[in-house]
Amino acid sequence: MRRWVLWLGCSSLAAMAAWRLPGLANEEKLLPKPLYQADVRIDPVKKEVSGSVAITFSPQDPQRAYLHLYPDVFTEQQEGILWEELLGKEPVPGTYASNRLAVDGNLVVGQKDRHVLQVPLQANEQSGIAAGPRTIQLDFAMKLPQNEGRMSYDDHAIWLGNWLPILAVHEQAGWRLDAYEPVGDPFYSEIADYEVNVTYPAGYQLASTAADDGAEAAASPTASGGKKTVRLRVENVRDFALVLMDSTYQKADTKAGNTLVRTWWRQGDDELLATQIHEAAVQSLAYFQEQFGAYPYGEYDVVRTGGAINGMEYPALVFMDGRHFLTGAETGMVTVAHETAHQWFYGLLGNDQLREAWLDEGFAEYGTLAFLSQEYPPAGAEWVRRRLENGTSVAMYVKENLRPWQALSAFPANQSYSDLVYSRTSAMLWLLREAWGEERLHDVLREYVKTYRYQNVNGEQWEAFLSRAAGEDARAFLDYWMKLDMSRQEQAAAWLERQRDKHRK
């Protein structure tokens, strides 16, 4: 995600498939990935969404599973300046009810704590472990909240980000049940397949993580009540988002390789800006495919929403808030490039966004700098200058014991989050680029994405990968840049100089 504070501080411009274990990308051991099958109904007049989801998965914990119910966060008022920056000054809470819970068709009673639902699993009495795949079924209904964030509405659209129940990640140390944070993107998920049936009024248009063109052609519209139902299917994504739009929305379509890039905006928006955003989306998707590896999805939607989220990434779909499309706006081109870079760093290559946000935000921001420098050199040069300036001016953060490599809950403000997670990380990668050259750095990043494609990677794995690519231990370099260990500054500088010398040879 890109928040507006970044600009204020930095610029005026039913089968189960399988995925590989992190660190075992070249071995044969496989784990099954979940399958989400949902039937949902959207009422854009009443601002209501209801339906059911069935999640088929192979449990690692034989006793229980956990679901994140993120919409439940917005059923009550959230207090504090950070929540105000995320949701706006006068957010209106919604409602959320999870009505019926079953496991393999048998009703069970769950326990909810904040936005997390604990689901009991019946263990096999002889083995003590859950036998084979299990299916959790949950009915839900919600009245949408109205706010400036990722899941809300206005007079022309409903945008649904982080709205479907989703399995919590189970690590070796146990379940990850983190609270929803107002700073950054408080999400952590694994690759899955989705089959989502959506029923909505026939006069509306829909964009989603799936390839919507194919869904429209394959589905059988239902005539009753002037509604239609589409079947949306997509494989190998770590979330599923959608936007329902009225007839004021128009679109532009352009192919980038094998992917149809589709940008949506409204009548009355600045068409020149909309065209520029669309062109930047097409150019950046093509650029990142060339630099970081093939993009596997057939459609990529860039959708103008309301709110003030600035930009928010989801697999094959990004939200762009409406201010980018108004006359006088200067930020749309850069924001869409950043969100497009997230299709690789977050989408194809996942990470724990709650504890190691630098692994997606910082790498996506580096990709933005690289793209701008090639396609829009004046803007790129200025953006690089400001990221380097903000990423190296860290004395205040050292004193406050803040660093890029820390949990979202440790950041006291969006500005420190921006300076450390975005600027510090992208500055580190830019200096590595200057030492190695663009071609070598991008070769390494392409191999990094290829090695861990569809997996979640952590900071230690990047450290090991970088060390192998460099031919020497990179720990001191990362300790200085990502952990702000100032005792490592000279070692980090010497490491970078040795890398520069190797490149010269």
Side-chain angles (χ1 to χ4, degrees), residues 1-2 300 311-313 318 335-343:
M1 181 180 72
R2 177 181 292 280
Y300 174 53
M312 183 66 203
E313 71 280 1
V318 298
T335 296
V336 77
H338 177 89
E339 306 309 335
T340 304
H342 268 308
Q343 297 300 304

Side-chain angles (χ1 to χ4, degrees), residues 64 67 78 83 113 146 169 174 254 378 393 402 407:
R64 62 192 62 84
L67 300 179
Q78 304 290 342
W83 283 105
D113 181 11
Q146 187 167 36
V169 173
T254 304
S393 304
L402 298 176

